[in-house]
Amino acid sequence: MKRNPHRPFTPRPEQMALHPGLSGNDINGLGERAFRRPEVVYWAKDPDDIPHGAVQRWFYTANPPSEVMQDARAGRQVILDAPLPEVTGAPAARAPGDWTAGLASFVEAGVCEMTGVAEMDPAWLFEGAEVAQSRLIVLGVQHDYAGIARAPEVEAGAEVIRQYGRAAGAAKAVAGWIRAQGWEAEPVTGPMAGEITLIPPAIACGFGELGKHGSIINPELGASFRLSGVLTDAPFALTPRRAFGIDAFCMACRVCEDACPPEAIAPDKQWVRGVEKWYVDFDRCLPYFNETHGCGICIAVCPWSRPGVGLSLAAKLARRAARKDG
């Protein structure tokens, strides 16, 4: 096996001095067999609200100033600060299928690469949060592979920030489109935690399956994309969940596991708040993440993320499943 050039990793003492006595894995519910809602463990809008708040603040000072990162953050902030249009007119009466079909125009225009619609599930809300809307539209925007492939260099971190900005712009565009038709709509953007954790609804509405690296794997986009959402009561038709056999693939694959500098990716699924799933060790991952512009190695090296590879892998898994069923 090729030697990992990023191992061994030793966190900087000044960072570790800021870590709380409470494990992020405990906050996330690692090892728990009973269901409970998630809690915000990082990227809180107000860092004072979470135990790891001092570490979150340190993230922004950990690396030398970079023009490419500053430009990416400034561009994202412009998008986040842009006002939403007011709701205008009476609510439009459209068939649910027509509402959902209308989302295709945003993909065709390059606003985003993928859309889906899920029925809002309270299990996706962070502890203490409430939402009244019945529908959650999920939007996906793909990283530029040339940028994310440079992880853990600053260019990869800047690419992530650019796509978070683009995802926010997509959410605002879709929300504005719905508002112009007389329906309330609220964008859900990242990376700062809001009311909803977006990975479970994205899986529920057909974006793909959870991979060993803790990110969704999708045949078209690989693991290299960011999410945003829109909450609304407009009667969109739901989009179905899709399965490709990712569990079996990830069980046999060790690429991200071997590439992870702090060895945070486990070889097997684990119990987390009542669900057995792939999980990345928060306490191991975070120090390296903080010291390398947000890392991104695991999604960059994922075989599904390489351009043109995902669809062929999905077809191969489908043929394998068909032979097994036959």
Side-chain angles (χ1 to χ4, degrees), residues 32-271:
E32 296 179 12
R33 298 287 183 117
F35 167 79
R36 65 173 172 86
R37 285 187 184 181
E39 297 179 50
V40 176
V41 66
Y42 211 58
W43 296 131
K45 291 180 179 178
D46 183 349
D48 289 338
D49 290 341
I50 59 171
H52 290 80
V55 188
Q56 180 178 315
R57 284 196 172 93
W58 187 84
F59 171 84
Y60 291 99
T61 64
N63 298 290
S66 161
E67 184 176 349
V68 66
M69 183 65 81
Q70 291 172 345
D71 288 348
R73 287 174 176 159
R76 179 188 63 180
Q77 195 60 48
V78 168
I79 294 169
L80 292 174
D81 291 342
L84 281 172
E86 296 294 327
V87 177
T88 57
R94 303 177 66 179
D98 291 341
W99 276 110
T100 299
L103 295 172
S105 64
F106 293 93
V107 176
E108 292 164 0
V111 175
C112 57
E113 276 70 61
M114 182 166 286
T115 67
V117 182
E119 184 174 10
M120 188 59 215
D121 186 339
W124 303 333
L125 297 174
F126 285 107
E127 186 62 41
E130 294 183 7
V131 301
Q133 296 90 341
S134 62
R135 291 288 187 270
L136 176 60
I137 301 165
V138 184
L139 310 168
V141 298
Q142 189 172 26
H143 293 123
D144 174 67
Y145 184 73
I148 202 67
R150 298 188 66 174
E153 298 174 17
V154 65
E155 288 80 7
E159 173 60 17
V160 169
I161 296 300
R162 281 191 290 269
Q163 296 309 324
Y164 268 126
R166 191 165 159 249
K172 287 195 164 187
V174 172
W177 171 67
I178 296 170
R179 284 171 166 243
Q181 298 177 77
W183 292 85
E184 289 283 355
E186 296 295 332
V188 180
T189 64
M192 297 305 178
E195 292 84 7
I196 304 168
T197 176
L198 285 172
I199 287 180
I203 293 172
C205 69
F207 271 60
E209 298 172 82
L210 194 66
K212 181 182 280 190
H213 42 44
S215 295
I216 298 174
I217 293 177
N218 172 275
E220 293 85 11
L221 308 183
S224 185
F225 60 98
R226 297 290 149 176
L227 299 170
S228 62
V230 178
L231 285 163
T232 186
D233 276 325
F236 283 79
L238 306 180
T239 53
R241 181 185 294 261
R242 295 192 294 168
F244 312 102
I246 296 301
D247 273 354
F249 182 93
C250 286
M251 194 68 74
C253 180
R254 291 181 52 95
V255 172
C256 66
E257 188 182 341
D258 291 338
C260 179
E263 301 181 69
I265 299 175
D268 300 302
K269 297 167 80 172
Q270 301 179 71
W271 284 95

Side-chain angles (χ1 to χ4, degrees), residues 6-7 9 259-265 284-289 295:
H6 304 293
R7 291 180 182 173
F9 166 66
C260 179
E263 301 181 69
I265 299 175
R284 287 176 174 264
C285 174
L286 186 64
Y288 191 82
F289 177 97
C295 188

